[in-house]
Amino acid sequence: MNENPKSTQNPTAAARTVLVTGGTGKTGRRVAERLTALGHTARIGSRTAPVPFDWADDTTWDAALDGVGAAYLAYYPDLAFPGAVETVEAFARRAAKAGVGRLVLLSGRGEEAAQAAEEAVAGAGTGWTVVRCAWFSQNFSESFFLEPVLSGELALPTGVAAEPFVDADDIADVAVAALTEDGHDGEVYELTGPRLLTFADVAAEQSAATGREIRFTPVTVEEYRAVLATIGLPGEFADLFTMILDGRNARLADGVRRALGREPRDFADYVRAAAASGVWNV
């Protein structure tokens, strides 16, 4: 059994209130569940929460931060979008002023704006950790790639670039460790899975797990922008996909191992579990 050298629980952090922005999303939901299981109070940061929180409405921030010892920052829609860095910086400084001792930022690989947000959080005056992630495996079962998988065709503006897809459960485990344990302050954990896959590889693994054909079809940015419009997502996602899937992130990183003392979950394990759950049944 691997021991995590950073896993000394901070006794002063026990059973404290942690604000989880994006607390109903892919990573935030998992972070909140783990915090609750550890005996902490997870305050869900969303517009519909008992204490509402909205990134776009700074009048909601103070109440959401009241009595909070640490916060998980998952900015929506993405740190690469216009205004994101300024908003995250303003919130981080507000958190420091409110006495929040630790911020954990969910960030993305290969995005200049995301790295600017990381620097803003690091300079806000609190303890901080960055969890910089590859593309989530769960995007294919809990997000905008679910419908394409169900339809049998992943039509995306990518070519042969490979991506080391990371599991959202690994992200949540690292984030919770950084929120609740000593030894993670000032760390930038770059999280990936253990191998590189192209989207054609992804489609092949999904086909094998589901027993039906799922194919990858490359499309132009303009074609994909039109698809996004039909499902109510910003067209900027098409540009973001193209930017971060140009090969710049086609490398593995050791963030899961450094933070947790174990290897990351493989994409094949995720695919088998997703298929067994029935989410891809048609």
Side-chain angles (χ1 to χ4, degrees):
M1 180 177 178
N2 290 328
E3 295 293 335
N4 176 13
K6 299 177 180 287
S7 62
T8 303
Q9 182 77 25
N10 180 354
T12 64
R16 65 171 159 183
T17 298
V18 181
L19 174 64
V20 182
T21 69
T24 58
K26 286 185 291 295
T27 64
R29 171 171 54 82
R30 290 171 166 84
V31 168
E33 290 170 352
R34 285 160 170 75
L35 288 169
T36 300
L38 289 172
H40 300 275
T41 299
R43 178 177 294 167
I44 303 301
S46 75
R47 285 174 290 184
T48 58
V51 180
F53 172 82
D54 186 348
W55 281 111
D57 181 2
D58 64 2
T59 66
T60 67
W61 295 357
D62 289 338
L65 288 167
D66 185 39
V68 164
Y72 176 66
L73 309 186
Y75 181 83
Y76 182 84
D78 191 274
L79 290 175
F81 277 45
V85 174
E86 294 79 6
T87 299
V88 169
E89 180 174 22
F91 179 78
R93 293 190 181 279
R94 187 86 63 92
K97 186 176 180 180
V100 176
R102 190 174 298 178
L103 299 175
V104 175
L105 176 69
L106 178 67
S107 185
R109 303 174 89 210
E111 301 176 29
E112 291 183 5
Q115 293 181 24
E118 294 173 9
E119 294 171 2
V121 170
T126 70
W128 60 272
T129 306
V130 169
V131 181
R132 184 189 292 162
C133 300
W135 274 40
F136 303 170
S137 299
Q138 279 74 9
N139 284 341
F140 296 101
S141 55
E142 301 178 20
S143 191
F144 37 81
F145 293 155
L146 173 57
E147 288 301 323
V149 174
L150 293 175
S151 74
E153 181 181 32
L154 291 172
L156 295 164
T158 67
V160 297
E163 176 73 12
F165 297 92
V166 65
D167 197 282
D169 286 319
D170 284 344
I171 299 169
D173 285 345
V174 173
V176 170
L179 287 163
T180 64
E181 299 171 0
D182 289 329
H184 302 281
D185 191 38
E187 294 281 0
V188 177
Y189 293 124
E190 191 160 335
L191 309 188
T192 72
R195 60 192 173 108
L196 295 167
L197 298 96
T198 66
F199 278 83
D201 296 330
V202 166
E205 296 213 13
Q206 292 168 337
S207 297
T210 60
R212 59 186 179 82
E213 183 184 10
I214 299 169
R215 62 189 180 278
F216 166 65
T217 303
V219 297
T220 67
V221 175
E222 291 72 21
E223 289 170 331
Y224 194 62
R225 190 176 286 112
V227 171
L228 291 172
T230 66
I231 58 177
L233 287 175
E236 288 88 348
F237 273 126
D239 300 310
L240 177 61
F241 293 169
T242 304
M243 178 184 72
I244 65 177
L245 291 172
D246 62 359
R248 72 182 65 189
N249 292 326
R251 54 183 173 77
L252 305 181
D254 63 354
V256 172
R257 188 182 315 114
R258 286 201 300 116
L260 303 176
R262 64 165 175 81
E263 295 304 308
R265 188 184 185 200
D266 190 78
F267 187 79
D269 297 326
Y270 154 73
V271 168
R272 284 192 292 268
S277 75
V279 69
W280 291 331
N281 291 348
V282 294

